[in-house]
Amino acid sequence: MSDNTATQVQRSNTTLWIMLASFLVPAILAYGYFFFGDRPSVRSNGELISPVIDIEELSMRDADGVILSREQLTPKWRLYYFVPSSCDENCKASLFNVRQINKALGKNQSRVEHVIVHLESPVDDFAKHISTEHENAVRTYVTAESLPSKPEQNINFQQGQYIYLMDPLGNIMMRFPEALNPKLILKDINKLLKVSRIG
């Protein structure tokens, strides 16, 4: 075999190996990543509410006692926190967390509102706390009689142990334990806002 022919065979083999590698290497990498790579979790930190609860079921009112319409309650995402007439340290910490979550949304901050839902008229100290610390919060009012009972879903809005998330269509669709790390709540909301085309 001449040197010229041997060179051609070698080049042909090199080309063949390159072609094989171009198919095999991506497949091997994909296989390895699928089984051993760091895949993102699809698990949410909050609890999905199913079936969802329509916001109008709560008969929310303004400060004058007028029932708010669906148009007034939407079309933004909303974080709801229900409070009694006074607010202990846990309650104040939850209000602070809801406010900070809203701020931490950055460019998406305008898509979400944080709402303080009064179960009773606030006492003077609490009212002052809201006016100085939560002046940007939306405030609504409900009565115990107007709140729906959802024992089959283990939902009692009067307990104040959860932060509720409403979508822009007026569906209360997720809740977060108030003791949950606010960074995890923020993570869930960012995921929803990323895929949502509404609000």
Side-chain angles (χ1 to χ4, degrees), residues 12-103:
S12 178
N13 287 340
T14 302
T15 302
L16 178 62
W17 282 111
I18 290 173
M19 289 179 63
L20 283 172
S22 67
F23 288 103
L24 290 174
V25 170
I28 292 170
L29 290 175
Y31 179 88
Y33 183 77
F34 181 82
F35 286 101
F36 306 108
D38 182 23
R39 288 173 289 169
S41 171
V42 294
R43 180 181 173 276
S44 64
N45 298 295
E47 176 188 340
L48 288 172
I49 296 174
S50 180
V52 297
I53 300 170
D54 190 295
I55 191 62
E56 286 189 294
E57 287 187 52
L58 277 64
S59 300
M60 290 197 171
R61 294 169 164 80
D62 63 17
D64 297 321
V66 178
I67 292 181
L68 299 169
S69 68
R70 177 172 291 277
E71 290 72 26
Q72 291 172 300
L73 295 168
T74 56
K76 291 188 177 185
W77 293 85
R78 279 186 162 187
L79 280 170
Y80 286 98
Y81 186 66
F82 293 74
V83 296
S85 59
S86 59
C87 194
D88 60 18
E89 291 307 310
N90 287 336
C91 168
K92 289 178 181 178
S94 294
L95 287 174
F96 174 81
N97 288 338
V98 171
R99 185 190 71 190
Q100 295 307 106
I101 288 167
N102 201 185
K103 288 182 177 181

Side-chain angles (χ1 to χ4, degrees), residues 138-164:
V138 176
R139 296 171 69 183
T140 62
Y141 300 79
V142 295
T143 61
E145 296 76 21
S146 71
L147 290 172
S149 177
K150 303 285 182 180
E152 71 282 1
Q153 294 174 265
N154 193 29
I155 291 177
N156 183 349
F157 292 104
Q158 296 187 61
Q159 289 178 343
Q161 297 173 345
Y162 292 91
I163 296 164
Y164 292 87

Side-chain angles (χ1 to χ4, degrees), residues 160-181:
Q161 297 173 345
Y162 292 91
I163 296 164
Y164 292 87
L165 179 64
M166 182 197 78
D167 70 22
L169 299 177
N171 300 310
I172 299 176
M173 42 74 68
M174 184 174 279
R175 67 179 183 177
F176 306 93
E178 63 178 357
L180 184 66
N181 187 324

